[in-house]
Amino acid sequence: MAKVCNPIYDTVFKYLVEDERVAKVLLGCILNKKIVHVEIKGHESTYRDDDNQLKLLRFDFAGTIENPDGTKETVTIELQKASEPEEVMRFRSYFGIQMASKSNADTIVKYHRDKDKTPYNVLKPRRIYGIFILGHSLGKGFEYPLIKGSTVFYDEDNNVLNFKTQCEFLKGMTYDLYIIQLPFLPERPKKPLEKMLRAFDQRYKVENDDRYLELTEDTADYDSDFNVIFRRLLHASADEQLRRNLDLEDYAERLWTIRQAEREDLEYELKEKKQLLAEQEKHLEEQKSQLAEQESKLAEQKSQLAEQKNQLATMIKFSATLGASPEKIATQLSISIDEVKRVLSQN
């Protein structure tokens, strides 16, 4: 059992694939193809930061593969590793760049059909392979360590078309996709790819230290694909500068986790305050509505009272025109004599 660096970390993964032999073993085993030559053309690291970017590592390879018939083909391999779920559009954008880039095409010479057979150059797009190594799951129903596929073509009756020869147009407009889901690696690997990916299996993490794995070398086959990666990871654990970089990455990861938790707590607190404020505003609106209703009732009551006073005044004046004395009017209407005199004095 040996303690080696965990390749799920960007620092370690970058160190791993920068070795040509490791890159050939890793890519060849995933693609199930013989890699004759491979070269890194570019890489990009995106870390979590205050803008909430996810941790992502991307490599562009120019590779030469040997087909079963012995022919060699130059291809582009897009390798991306993410430790947590990522937006599809971010991954998709990289493929759009690769499809459009002239650097992923080879110049070939063709000839005009004139008498001089004049030569001219055209760009022939390379085959693109997309590999995603995910430290997370795609979700329920996709519980497989490897999911791979390419475009399937159909006719107008939805019958699958199996072309006997390759079409450069179709080949240039599509790419092959390979998705590795580390959480679904089997505990007892049997297939070559599963055995090689044991070097990435997070079940072997050192307790309380995610930066390292505890792995056992393959003693049955010294030159196995697993051992090639295992030895590179073992060498990484002895590299002092790499270990420092790994510590910094781990610190940045933990710091981001803390900040993210603080941000989530703050967002939750703000959400609660907004909800409380909304409830208070709703309660205030209800109170305003009740007050407006009370004011309306009061105004209606005042109007009714004024109407009753007008009717009473009319009755008093009418009784007076019939010769009734103020005392008799007060008795008949059950009101005070002063009220009768007050109304009559207004004439």
Side-chain angles (χ1 to χ4, degrees):
M1 187 77 69
K3 181 179 176 181
V4 302
C5 291
N6 189 347
I8 199 67
Y9 281 82
D10 287 359
T11 301
V12 181
F13 190 82
K14 182 174 180 292
Y15 178 84
L16 191 65
V17 299
E18 282 178 338
D19 182 90
E20 183 179 359
R21 186 184 181 192
V22 171
K24 288 169 67 175
V25 165
L26 178 65
L27 300 177
C29 195
I30 294 175
L31 299 179
N32 194 25
K33 296 182 181 296
K34 182 179 180 180
I35 306 292
V36 178
H37 174 71
V38 68
E39 179 183 358
I40 295 178
K41 288 298 184 181
H43 78 275
E44 175 181 293
S45 297
T46 302
Y47 293 91
R48 291 183 173 116
D49 56 18
D50 293 336
D51 294 326
N52 200 28
Q53 289 179 307
L54 287 174
K55 184 177 176 182
L56 173 70
L57 185 65
R58 177 177 66 92
F59 286 91
D60 299 329
F61 292 93
T64 302
I65 64 174
E66 183 176 322
N67 296 313
D69 60 3
T71 59
K72 293 181 174 60
E73 179 184 2
T74 302
V75 299
T76 294
I77 303 173
E78 177 83 5
L79 175 63
Q80 300 188 33
K81 179 188 70 67
S83 58
E84 293 186 13
E86 175 56 274
E87 295 179 359
V88 175
M89 289 305 298
R90 186 187 297 274
F91 286 144
R92 184 185 177 98
S93 66
Y94 292 132
F95 280 106
I97 294 172
Q98 295 290 9
M99 295 288 282
S101 177
K102 291 183 178 180
S103 63
N104 291 321
D106 297 312
T107 301
I108 62 173
V109 179
K110 289 193 173 183
Y111 298 90
H112 289 288
R113 294 181 179 180
D114 55 22
K115 62 178 181 179
D116 296 324
K117 301 293 183 181
T118 307
Y120 65 97
N121 295 332
V122 296
L123 292 177
K124 178 183 178 183
R126 296 174 183 171
R127 188 65 177 166
I128 297 178
Y129 294 93
I131 300 174
F132 297 87
I133 299 179
L134 306 180
H136 58 87
S137 166
L138 293 177
K140 187 176 181 180
F142 298 92
E143 298 91 349
Y144 302 94
L146 171 64
I147 298 175
K148 61 181 179 179
S150 58
T151 304
V152 178
F153 295 95
Y154 304 86
D155 63 14
E156 66 274 19
D157 297 319
N158 288 325
N159 298 312
V160 176
L161 299 176
N162 295 313
F163 302 113
K164 295 181 180 180
T165 59
Q166 289 189 349
C167 172
E168 291 300 328
F169 180 84
L170 297 179
K171 184 178 177 181
M173 296 299 291
T174 59
Y175 57 85
D176 293 286
L177 184 63
Y178 294 75
I179 301 172
I180 303 291
Q181 296 185 95
L182 298 182
F184 298 123
L185 293 177
E187 292 187 25
R188 297 180 179 180
K190 296 179 180 180
K191 301 175 183 178
L193 176 61
E194 295 171 349
K195 292 179 179 180
M196 184 273 292
L197 289 175
R198 186 164 63 88
F200 292 81
D201 197 330
Q202 297 302 294
R203 280 190 292 259
Y204 299 113
K205 286 188 295 188
V206 173
E207 187 175 0
N208 298 324
D209 194 347
D210 292 349
R211 297 169 300 171
Y212 298 96
L213 304 179
E214 287 183 332
L215 299 174
T216 304
E217 186 176 8
D218 183 2
T219 57
D221 184 0
Y222 180 80
D223 292 322
S224 67
D225 292 343
F226 169 80
N227 276 353
V228 171
I229 297 176
F230 169 81
R231 285 193 289 270
R232 182 70 172 172
L233 295 176
L234 189 62
H235 189 271
S237 64
D239 189 309
E240 185 176 349
Q241 182 59 52
L242 186 141
R243 291 202 311 273
R244 283 199 293 266
N245 293 340
L246 181 57
D247 290 341
L248 288 174
E249 183 182 344
D250 187 60
Y251 171 74
E253 176 77 12
R254 286 186 283 109
L255 182 62
W256 183 91
T257 302
I258 293 172
R259 288 181 176 176
Q260 180 68 6
E262 292 174 346
R263 185 183 295 112
E264 290 176 354
D265 289 341
L266 179 60
E267 289 176 352
Y268 181 76
E269 184 179 348
L270 290 175
K271 183 179 179 180
E272 282 191 326
K273 288 182 177 179
K274 286 182 179 179
Q275 185 176 353
L276 179 60
L277 180 60
E279 291 176 354
Q280 290 175 342
E281 289 178 348
K282 182 180 178 181
H283 183 62
L284 181 60
E285 289 297 324
E286 291 176 350
Q287 289 180 330
K288 286 182 179 179
S289 178
Q290 291 174 357
L291 180 60
E293 186 177 349
Q294 291 173 354
E295 290 177 347
S296 177
K297 289 181 178 179
L298 181 61
E300 185 178 351
Q301 290 172 352
K302 287 182 178 179
S303 177
Q304 291 175 353
L305 181 60
E307 180 66 21
Q308 290 174 356
K309 286 183 177 181
N310 290 333
Q311 291 177 357
L312 181 62
T314 300
M315 293 173 65
I316 291 173
K317 291 176 182 178
F318 180 73
S319 297
T321 58
L322 296 177
S325 65
E327 291 77 5
K328 186 177 181 180
I329 294 173
T331 301
Q332 289 177 339
L333 298 179
S334 299
I335 58 177
S336 67
I337 185 67
D338 292 335
E339 179 64 16
V340 174
K341 291 180 178 179
R342 185 187 67 77
V343 171
L344 294 176
S345 65
Q346 292 177 353
N347 292 334

